[in-house]
Amino acid sequence: MKRIIWLFVAIVVVVALWSGAWLFLSGEVRKNVVALADADGVTTPRLTCDTLNVSGFPFRFDVDCAKAQVLDGDLVVDIAGLRASVLVYRPTHLLASALAPVKIEDTFTGSQSTLNFATLEASARTNGWQIARIALNGTEVNWSDTLMGDNLIAKSAMIDLQLGDIPEQHDTAKGLAALAGYLQARDLVAPGFTIANGNAEIEVEVNGLPDDVRLLAEPDALVNWRAAGGQLKLVSAHATDGDSDLKANGNLALDPQGLLDGQIDINSTKVAERLEPYLMEPYRALVLGNPAPDGTHANVLNFRGGNIYSGLLPIASVPPLF
């Protein structure tokens, strides 16, 4: 009998301690979210919530921010709702979601737009301070210019963004990592570019990155990336819409002066006609190349010395990135 009583007492004590710890930590979470409202909105973005709740007892922390507003310089973003969730026993895995609509205003230019969606979800997982995987997925995404009326800019049935670690390229001794990125858009409609049923997939790899995500915010992050031999590899970019087709691949890096160095190969079919209202000749041919007898276009864009070259002809300049 005494053993049962002591077991009951032990359970009560554990539950009481766990409850106290959860309440304390939830208070700290709330305090940190509220502190975001004290940012100046210039050097650091400011987040405010009309209503803020922290729930999820006993094994989660669910932070719900209703009628959120983000201020970053001239950019003001109003979001119907934000939610972030973390499991107590898995604090390096964050799940987040947003509610539509998201209203975006640039107070400098006066532009206004609205983002609507059925679902918009994100997740981030780290191994210590190393990025393991970041993902963003949206369905029935619709972006419209709302300055004068409601004019569709673009919409997509599904958008999926993935960014993940490449374990075999992790150099523990040098503290370097590599990431693979993937972007997919399905049933894309963009009236401004006469896209009615487009699909796009982009795959990239970036190496020479620090395996501590905090170092990416350092002022010399690009300098260090270049010194580590960092390279951005466009593994594949493929976009289609009806009988139009665009493919691209290539590599980009930085030279000692912070200028882009590398090349991008572009192959397309019936894309030049789409760009006619926006890119006049001879620039269209300088970007996509001259048409072959079968109507296809092929070109190589070279980046070096602060310029973009089509063949030997410079067509644009790019300032140093550091």
Side-chain angles (χ1 to χ4, degrees), residues 20 40 63 65 110 124 126 150 152 157 176 183 200-201 209 223 242 258 261 303 306-307:
D40 59 13
V63 181
C65 176
T126 63
D150 191 337
L152 178 66
L176 297 177
L183 172 64
E201 292 185 16
L209 295 170
V223 176
D261 184 82
F303 298 74
N307 292 314

Side-chain angles (χ1 to χ4, degrees), residues 28 31 46 48 57 84-85 93 95 125 132 152-153 158 162 174 181 185 205 218 231 250 265 273 287 298 306:
E28 291 298 302
K31 185 188 301 183
R46 183 170 69 207
T48 57
F57 179 82
S85 298
H93 190 184
L95 300 177
R125 180 167 52 85
L152 178 66
I153 298 173
M158 186 274 288
Q162 304 282 338
K174 295 182 179 179
E205 291 183 5
E218 293 291 321
Q231 187 179 67
D265 297 336
E273 296 83 351
V287 173

